Amino acid sequence: MKLRKVSAASAAVLALALAATACGSDDKDDTGGGSSGGGDKIKIGIKYDQPGLGLKEPDGSFSGFDVDVATYVAKELGYKPDQIQFVETKSADRENALSRGDVKFITATYSINDERAKKVDFAGPYLLAHQDLLVKKDSKIAKGADLNGKNLCSVTGSTSAQNVKDKIAPKANLRKYSGYSECIAGLQSGAVEAVTTDDSILAGFAAQDKYKGQFKLVGEKLSNENYGIGVKKGDKATVDKINAALQKMVSDGSWDKAVQENFGPAGYKNEAAPKIGVIVK
């Protein structure tokens, strides 16, 4: 009987040890779903192909305004830089990535609109961008109407170029390329005379070392793009924490610093930091 009691006790201790080990393993699971730092990691959705906003560098590091904002927010949520895992999140998959729990939040030129707000919650906005035109530094194009008869580039599937034709330059010649990198190269070579999309995206490309000093923004404001941080629908606690982090980023000067470092070389005349919860129509 004594031997049986010792065996039972040993078995109980072993079971508890195994359970504790299993719990410890779960605590370090790299899911991005945690709400604080410690030993966890956090997964954040960004773009990988937008210089000045979200770009994966050749050495595997990340740069851009969205990256700086995401890193600052993560720090305020309790995560160190080495606990952040950036996940490429393409525009068409942003809502799904949040609903599946692939990422904790998304900072990826994610314009807030009514349709998206039905599927995800937004913190912010943290940047007010506008559709604009990028031209060569010595271009005589000073306003949208000057594009009549000129070649205008935008990306296939984008509504930006059509917006220009509909509103200000009906006789512009549309040239649609597969990506903005191709548009910028076309502008440099003279194949097109202007490129159009959000001014923040244009400024990011123009600020690249290989293009510095070659281009300028015209200053047209053809639309208002309120960039927000996407969060899974119903996660109000995370939205509130992110909003508090964004307010702190503005108040301590980090927001202005990030804008200048990422967009300054293109002469980007950014709007002041938007107020949390205020959407400019």
Side-chain angles (χ1 to χ4, degrees), residues 160-182:
S160 298
Q162 191 61 50
N163 197 29
V164 170
K165 277 187 69 78
D166 291 344
K167 290 185 176 181
I168 55 175
K171 294 182 180 179
N173 303 315
L174 296 187
R175 298 288 185 269
K176 294 187 178 181
Y177 292 7
S178 61
Y180 290 113
S181 295
E182 289 82 358

Side-chain angles (χ1 to χ4, degrees), residues 14-58:
L14 179 60
L16 286 171
L18 289 172
T21 301
C23 290
S25 176
D26 287 342
D27 286 344
K28 295 180 181 179
D29 183 32
D30 187 10
T31 63
S35 59
S36 62
D40 296 341
K41 287 184 180 286
I42 184 170
K43 290 182 179 179
I44 302 173
I46 62 168
K47 295 288 183 66
Y48 275 17
D49 58 354
Q50 289 184 336
L53 286 154
L55 182 69
K56 186 174 183 179
E57 302 285 0

